Amino acid sequence: MTTPQENTESGIDMRSLWSALDPATRQWFMDHTGNTIVPRKITAELCEVAGRPLPHDSHGQLQLSGDDIVFIRNRAHSAFAAHGTERFFEAVQPKDASQAHHSPHTDLPHRT
């Protein structure tokens, strides 16, 4: 197995580690595409897969580089496109208009 090349910002290259990660970890990254800080448990797995310690903060968390974030977002978009689903990478998902109860009074702001 080849050793991943170092990324100058975070010390990792997510692209070279991706295929070695277990499916649950890859899914975590795709579900949390807005996170730039990787939790301690995920950081520990990245270190194990890389076969070396990776730079992390005093809490055991790793910070992703911009290149790593773009790579993960592209993987997530590709995975969702393959399944024919749309996904917005926002904090709040828009409501499904077909299932929403529509009342003309709930859409208007209250005026006094």
Side-chain angles (χ1 to χ4, degrees):
M1 183 170 139
T2 61
T3 304
Q5 295 178 354
E6 286 200 8
N7 184 317
T8 58
E9 289 182 39
S10 68
I12 68 168
D13 179 14
M14 186 60 72
R15 184 180 314 271
S16 62
L17 294 177
W18 188 259
S19 62
L21 296 174
D22 69 64
T25 302
R26 286 194 303 258
Q27 188 63 49
W28 184 90
F29 279 111
M30 290 192 294
D31 289 343
H32 298 89
T33 58
N35 287 21
T36 59
I37 304 295
V38 178
R40 179 177 32 229
K41 181 178 177 181
I42 304 294
T43 298
E45 182 174 342
L46 289 170
C47 291
E48 185 178 324
V49 168
R52 63 186 171 88
L54 298 172
H56 56 274
D57 65 16
S58 60
H59 302 288
Q61 299 173 324
L62 180 136
Q63 183 166 359
L64 295 174
S65 71
D67 290 341
D68 291 334
I69 293 168
V70 168
F71 172 77
I72 293 165
R73 284 186 177 163
N74 287 339
R75 296 298 293 205
H77 283 292
S78 296
F80 287 113
H83 294 292
T85 58
E86 293 183 24
R87 179 153 181 183
F88 295 98
F89 294 102
E90 299 289 336
V92 177
Q93 296 292 318
K95 292 182 181 179
D96 184 356
S98 65
Q99 295 179 2
H101 174 68
H102 186 29
S103 171
H105 300 293
T106 58
D107 293 340
L108 301 174
H110 177 69
R111 294 185 187 204
T112 55

PDB file of all heavy atoms in Angstrom, residues 79-94:
ATOM      1  N   ALA A  79     -22.552  10.860  -5.451  1.00  0.00           N
ATOM      2  CA  ALA A  79     -23.326   9.772  -4.846  1.00  0.00           C
ATOM      3  C   ALA A  79     -24.814  10.066  -4.896  1.00  0.00           C
ATOM      4  O   ALA A  79     -25.621   9.193  -5.213  1.00  0.00           O
ATOM      5  CB  ALA A  79     -22.882   9.553  -3.398  1.00  0.00           C
ATOM      6  N   PHE A  80     -25.204  11.295  -4.603  1.00  0.00           N
ATOM      7  CA  PHE A  80     -26.616  11.643  -4.638  1.00  0.00           C
ATOM      8  C   PHE A  80     -27.136  11.673  -6.076  1.00  0.00           C
ATOM      9  O   PHE A  80     -28.258  11.270  -6.331  1.00  0.00           O
ATOM     10  CB  PHE A  80     -26.876  12.970  -3.932  1.00  0.00           C
ATOM     11  CG  PHE A  80     -26.773  12.848  -2.442  1.00  0.00           C
ATOM     12  CD1 PHE A  80     -25.764  13.487  -1.752  1.00  0.00           C
ATOM     13  CD2 PHE A  80     -27.670  12.060  -1.733  1.00  0.00           C
ATOM     14  CE1 PHE A  80     -25.655  13.360  -0.382  1.00  0.00           C
ATOM     15  CE2 PHE A  80     -27.568  11.925  -0.361  1.00  0.00           C
ATOM     16  CZ  PHE A  80     -26.559  12.577   0.315  1.00  0.00           C
ATOM     17  N   ALA A  81     -26.314  12.112  -7.020  1.00  0.00           N
ATOM     18  CA  ALA A  81     -26.728  12.127  -8.416  1.00  0.00           C
ATOM     19  C   ALA A  81     -26.932  10.704  -8.934  1.00  0.00           C
ATOM     20  O   ALA A  81     -27.848  10.436  -9.703  1.00  0.00           O
ATOM     21  CB  ALA A  81     -25.688  12.859  -9.267  1.00  0.00           C
ATOM     22  N   ALA A  82     -26.098   9.770  -8.488  1.00  0.00           N
ATOM     23  CA  ALA A  82     -26.220   8.376  -8.912  1.00  0.00           C
ATOM     24  C   ALA A  82     -27.526   7.757  -8.437  1.00  0.00           C
ATOM     25  O   ALA A  82     -28.071   6.862  -9.072  1.00  0.00           O
ATOM     26  CB  ALA A  82     -25.041   7.555  -8.389  1.00  0.00           C
ATOM     27  N   HIS A  83     -28.039   8.242  -7.307  1.00  0.00           N
ATOM     28  CA  HIS A  83     -29.294   7.720  -6.761  1.00  0.00           C
ATOM     29  C   HIS A  83     -30.498   8.542  -7.194  1.00  0.00           C
ATOM     30  O   HIS A  83     -31.617   8.248  -6.804  1.00  0.00           O
ATOM     31  CB  HIS A  83     -29.236   7.677  -5.234  1.00  0.00           C
ATOM     32  CG  HIS A  83     -28.227   6.702  -4.724  1.00  0.00           C
ATOM     33  ND1 HIS A  83     -28.369   5.347  -4.880  1.00  0.00           N
ATOM     34  CD2 HIS A  83     -27.056   6.886  -4.088  1.00  0.00           C
ATOM     35  CE1 HIS A  83     -27.318   4.738  -4.356  1.00  0.00           C
ATOM     36  NE2 HIS A  83     -26.504   5.645  -3.879  1.00  0.00           N
ATOM     37  N   GLY A  84     -30.257   9.586  -7.980  1.00  0.00           N
ATOM     38  CA  GLY A  84     -31.360  10.406  -8.481  1.00  0.00           C
ATOM     39  C   GLY A  84     -31.997  11.294  -7.434  1.00  0.00           C
ATOM     40  O   GLY A  84     -33.137  11.697  -7.575  1.00  0.00           O
ATOM     41  N   THR A  85     -31.271  11.605  -6.381  1.00  0.00           N
ATOM     42  CA  THR A  85     -31.810  12.483  -5.351  1.00  0.00           C
ATOM     43  C   THR A  85     -31.109  13.828  -5.416  1.00  0.00           C
ATOM     44  O   THR A  85     -29.968  13.924  -5.847  1.00  0.00           O
ATOM     45  CB  THR A  85     -31.619  11.891  -3.941  1.00  0.00           C
ATOM     46  OG1 THR A  85     -30.228  11.665  -3.737  1.00  0.00           O
ATOM     47  CG2 THR A  85     -32.390  10.611  -3.773  1.00  0.00           C
ATOM     48  N   GLU A  86     -31.817  14.845  -4.999  1.00  0.00           N
ATOM     49  CA  GLU A  86     -31.224  16.170  -4.925  1.00  0.00           C
ATOM     50  C   GLU A  86     -30.925  16.468  -3.475  1.00  0.00           C
ATOM     51  O   GLU A  86     -31.654  16.067  -2.590  1.00  0.00           O
ATOM     52  CB  GLU A  86     -32.185  17.219  -5.475  1.00  0.00           C
ATOM     53  CG  GLU A  86     -32.418  17.076  -6.951  1.00  0.00           C
ATOM     54  CD  GLU A  86     -33.322  18.173  -7.482  1.00  0.00           C
ATOM     55  OE1 GLU A  86     -33.394  19.243  -6.851  1.00  0.00           O
ATOM     56  OE2 GLU A  86     -33.942  17.941  -8.505  1.00  0.00           O
ATOM     57  N   ARG A  87     -29.858  17.177  -3.247  1.00  0.00           N
ATOM     58  CA  ARG A  87     -29.513  17.534  -1.881  1.00  0.00           C
ATOM     59  C   ARG A  87     -28.900  18.917  -1.874  1.00  0.00           C
ATOM     60  O   ARG A  87     -28.036  19.220  -2.669  1.00  0.00           O
ATOM     61  CB  ARG A  87     -28.519  16.539  -1.320  1.00  0.00           C
ATOM     62  CG  ARG A  87     -28.125  16.898   0.082  1.00  0.00           C
ATOM     63  CD  ARG A  87     -27.730  15.713   0.848  1.00  0.00           C
ATOM     64  NE  ARG A  87     -27.395  16.138   2.192  1.00  0.00           N
ATOM     65  CZ  ARG A  87     -26.948  15.338   3.098  1.00  0.00           C
ATOM     66  NH1 ARG A  87     -26.802  14.075   2.831  1.00  0.00           N
ATOM     67  NH2 ARG A  87     -26.650  15.769   4.291  1.00  0.00           N
ATOM     68  N   PHE A  88     -29.384  19.735  -0.962  1.00  0.00           N
ATOM     69  CA  PHE A  88     -28.823  21.054  -0.766  1.00  0.00           C
ATOM     70  C   PHE A  88     -27.878  20.981   0.413  1.00  0.00           C
ATOM     71  O   PHE A  88     -28.191  20.363   1.422  1.00  0.00           O
ATOM     72  CB  PHE A  88     -29.928  22.080  -0.454  1.00  0.00           C
ATOM     73  CG  PHE A  88     -30.865  22.287  -1.594  1.00  0.00           C
ATOM     74  CD1 PHE A  88     -32.076  21.625  -1.620  1.00  0.00           C
ATOM     75  CD2 PHE A  88     -30.548  23.127  -2.624  1.00  0.00           C
ATOM     76  CE1 PHE A  88     -32.953  21.806  -2.664  1.00  0.00           C
ATOM     77  CE2 PHE A  88     -31.413  23.319  -3.676  1.00  0.00           C
ATOM     78  CZ  PHE A  88     -32.624  22.652  -3.699  1.00  0.00           C
ATOM     79  N   PHE A  89     -26.736  21.605   0.302  1.00  0.00           N
ATOM     80  CA  PHE A  89     -25.780  21.600   1.396  1.00  0.00           C
ATOM     81  C   PHE A  89     -25.938  22.889   2.187  1.00  0.00           C
ATOM     82  O   PHE A  89     -25.142  23.789   2.131  1.00  0.00           O
ATOM     83  CB  PHE A  89     -24.359  21.407   0.866  1.00  0.00           C
ATOM     84  CG  PHE A  89     -24.191  20.059   0.252  1.00  0.00           C
ATOM     85  CD1 PHE A  89     -24.194  19.891  -1.118  1.00  0.00           C
ATOM     86  CD2 PHE A  89     -24.070  18.938   1.047  1.00  0.00           C
ATOM     87  CE1 PHE A  89     -24.058  18.635  -1.673  1.00  0.00           C
ATOM     88  CE2 PHE A  89     -23.935  17.678   0.499  1.00  0.00           C
ATOM     89  CZ  PHE A  89     -23.931  17.532  -0.859  1.00  0.00           C
ATOM     90  N   GLU A  90     -27.017  22.949   2.896  1.00  0.00           N
ATOM     91  CA  GLU A  90     -27.355  24.088   3.739  1.00  0.00           C
ATOM     92  C   GLU A  90     -27.651  23.567   5.132  1.00  0.00           C
ATOM     93  O   GLU A  90     -27.873  22.384   5.342  1.00  0.00           O
ATOM     94  CB  GLU A  90     -28.599  24.806   3.195  1.00  0.00           C
ATOM     95  CG  GLU A  90     -28.433  25.368   1.795  1.00  0.00           C
ATOM     96  CD  GLU A  90     -27.500  26.570   1.754  1.00  0.00           C
ATOM     97  OE1 GLU A  90     -27.339  27.253   2.783  1.00  0.00           O
ATOM     98  OE2 GLU A  90     -26.927  26.820   0.699  1.00  0.00           O
ATOM     99  N   ALA A  91     -27.749  24.456   6.076  1.00  0.00           N
ATOM    100  CA  ALA A  91     -28.063  24.054   7.444  1.00  0.00           C
ATOM    101  C   ALA A  91     -29.515  23.604   7.574  1.00  0.00           C
ATOM    102  O   ALA A  91     -29.838  22.731   8.350  1.00  0.00           O
ATOM    103  CB  ALA A  91     -27.786  25.197   8.404  1.00  0.00           C
ATOM    104  N   VAL A  92     -30.405  24.202   6.806  1.00  0.00           N
ATOM    105  CA  VAL A  92     -31.821  23.873   6.880  1.00  0.00           C
ATOM    106  C   VAL A  92     -32.278  23.471   5.486  1.00  0.00           C
ATOM    107  O   VAL A  92     -32.059  24.180   4.519  1.00  0.00           O
ATOM    108  CB  VAL A  92     -32.646  25.086   7.372  1.00  0.00           C
ATOM    109  CG1 VAL A  92     -34.122  24.762   7.378  1.00  0.00           C
ATOM    110  CG2 VAL A  92     -32.171  25.521   8.732  1.00  0.00           C
ATOM    111  N   GLN A  93     -32.915  22.316   5.397  1.00  0.00           N
ATOM    112  CA  GLN A  93     -33.417  21.842   4.119  1.00  0.00           C
ATOM    113  C   GLN A  93     -34.751  22.526   3.815  1.00  0.00           C
ATOM    114  O   GLN A  93     -35.537  22.772   4.733  1.00  0.00           O
ATOM    115  CB  GLN A  93     -33.623  20.321   4.163  1.00  0.00           C
ATOM    116  CG  GLN A  93     -32.342  19.551   4.357  1.00  0.00           C
ATOM    117  CD  GLN A  93     -31.427  19.640   3.165  1.00  0.00           C
ATOM    118  OE1 GLN A  93     -31.867  19.551   2.032  1.00  0.00           O
ATOM    119  NE2 GLN A  93     -30.147  19.824   3.402  1.00  0.00           N
ATOM    120  N   PRO A  94     -35.028  22.828   2.547  1.00  0.00           N
ATOM    121  CA  PRO A  94     -36.321  23.421   2.207  1.00  0.00           C
ATOM    122  C   PRO A  94     -37.447  22.419   2.416  1.00  0.00           C
ATOM    123  O   PRO A  94     -37.242  21.208   2.322  1.00  0.00           O
ATOM    124  CB  PRO A  94     -36.167  23.780   0.728  1.00  0.00           C
ATOM    125  CG  PRO A  94     -35.067  22.923   0.239  1.00  0.00           C
ATOM    126  CD  PRO A  94     -34.176  22.640   1.405  1.00  0.00           C
TER     127      PRO A  94
END
